[in-house]
Each structure stands twice: as C-alpha cells, then as structure tokens.
Amino acid sequence: LGEWQADGTFPPRDLHWLAGDITAPGDLRRMETALADWIGDAPTFFLLEGVVFFLSEEAVADLFAFFARLQRPGDQVGVVSYIPSLAEAPVYGRLVDFFAAHGLPRDGYSLPDPSFYDTRPGYRVIEHTSEVAAGRVFAPDQVLENPEDVLDEHLYILERR
C-alpha cells in the first residue's frame, strides 16, 4: 500500500489497522473502544463486503449492534450478501464444489433473506439492489450471456435512525 501511495496509484489515506476476530466478544469490545476514540464525532460508513457469507446470522446481528453503538443517526452501513434462492442455482453448486475441493465445508454459509436487514434494530434500509440489476443501470451495454451463471450479490445500504 505504501508503494502504491508513493507512486500515486492509491491516494494517501489516514489508515488505521485493527486485527481481531469479529465473532469474539472480547475482540469486538477492544475494537469498539479503539474505533470510538478514532471516530470521535465524524460520520461513519461501515462496509461488510465478502464477510456475511462466512458468518452466522447471529454474528451479523452482533456486528449491527456493534455498529449501532458507534454510529449516530444518518451514519450508514453497506452490506453485500447473497439471498437464499441462490442456493438452488447451479452456479452456487459450483461454488461449494470449489470450496469442497479446497478443503472447505460445503454448507454452513449465510444467505440471509432481505427481510433480515429490514429488521436490524436502529437501522432502516435506504437502498437495496442486486449486482445484476445494478449492471443493467450502470453498464447497460454489457449484456450477460446467462445471468444464471452469476453469483448475484445483493447490495444494501442501511441508515442509522
């Protein structure tokens, strides 16, 4: 990252790295203290991308409680996740076959129903779309040969009430 910032590939940022297990209550408390000090009164946007699939629904709910303690009204959380119907798609079968071929389990992954986000205490969904739907808007000239061959992620923005 330092090299990319030095050569102008990536703009300089005030980055702070926190390591921890987001499913461990003790680590979450430690990260919450560190983040609260760093955030101060600044507005926040937390992004869960590439995370929800690997966490239990309870762990995701715990993360939202964590965010709620750090955020003020108007702050936001972005979430990328799959929906339950994806589990029936051949492309999902290929994904879990790939995982199994590399020593990972075939099941136990999180595919929350969109209503899960509608019920997060202290938050409201202000935007929800899918990757395929967003592609039709932002890249209309790019036609998917077979949309069923896409792991269609759903994209949510939730706002703190």
Side-chain angles (χ1 to χ4, degrees):
L1 185 62
E3 184 179 312
W4 289 344
Q5 287 178 338
D7 72 11
T9 301
F10 190 80
R13 297 276 195 260
D14 181 20
L15 298 176
H16 297 266
W17 303 96
L18 292 174
D21 178 349
I22 59 175
T23 65
D27 281 2
L28 270 183
R29 281 190 298 277
R30 184 182 51 76
M31 288 188 283
E32 183 177 337
T33 299
L35 282 171
D37 290 343
W38 183 66
I39 292 168
D41 291 330
T44 60
F45 179 86
F46 290 107
L47 177 62
L48 293 175
E49 196 268 334
V51 176
V52 171
F53 186 65
F54 299 99
L55 297 176
S56 68
E57 199 168 283
E58 180 182 352
V60 176
D62 289 347
L63 278 176
F64 270 93
F66 167 80
F67 297 151
R69 290 189 299 271
L70 292 165
Q71 292 189 305
R72 294 185 318 229
D75 290 351
Q76 297 178 342
V77 177
V79 183
V80 178
S81 66
Y82 300 120
I83 60 173
S85 61
L86 183 67
E88 305 304 318
V91 67
Y92 185 80
R94 291 192 300 274
L95 175 66
V96 295
D97 288 347
F98 173 84
F99 286 168
H102 291 84
L104 296 170
R106 290 184 155 288
D107 55 14
Y109 299 106
S110 182
L111 304 166
D113 190 272
S115 64
F116 173 80
Y117 300 107
D118 292 328
T119 60
R120 294 305 88 214
Y123 288 90
R124 67 183 182 98
V125 175
I126 60 171
E127 190 158 341
H128 170 212
T129 190
S130 73
E131 188 174 18
V132 170
R136 285 189 213 111
V137 172
F138 297 108
D141 56 330
Q142 302 294 316
V143 178
L144 290 173
E145 296 286 326
N146 185 359
E148 292 182 6
D149 282 341
V150 174
L151 287 164
D152 192 18
E153 295 176 304
H154 280 240
L155 318 166
Y156 305 83
I157 297 178
L158 291 87
E159 186 174 77
R160 183 81 169 100
R161 293 185 211 172

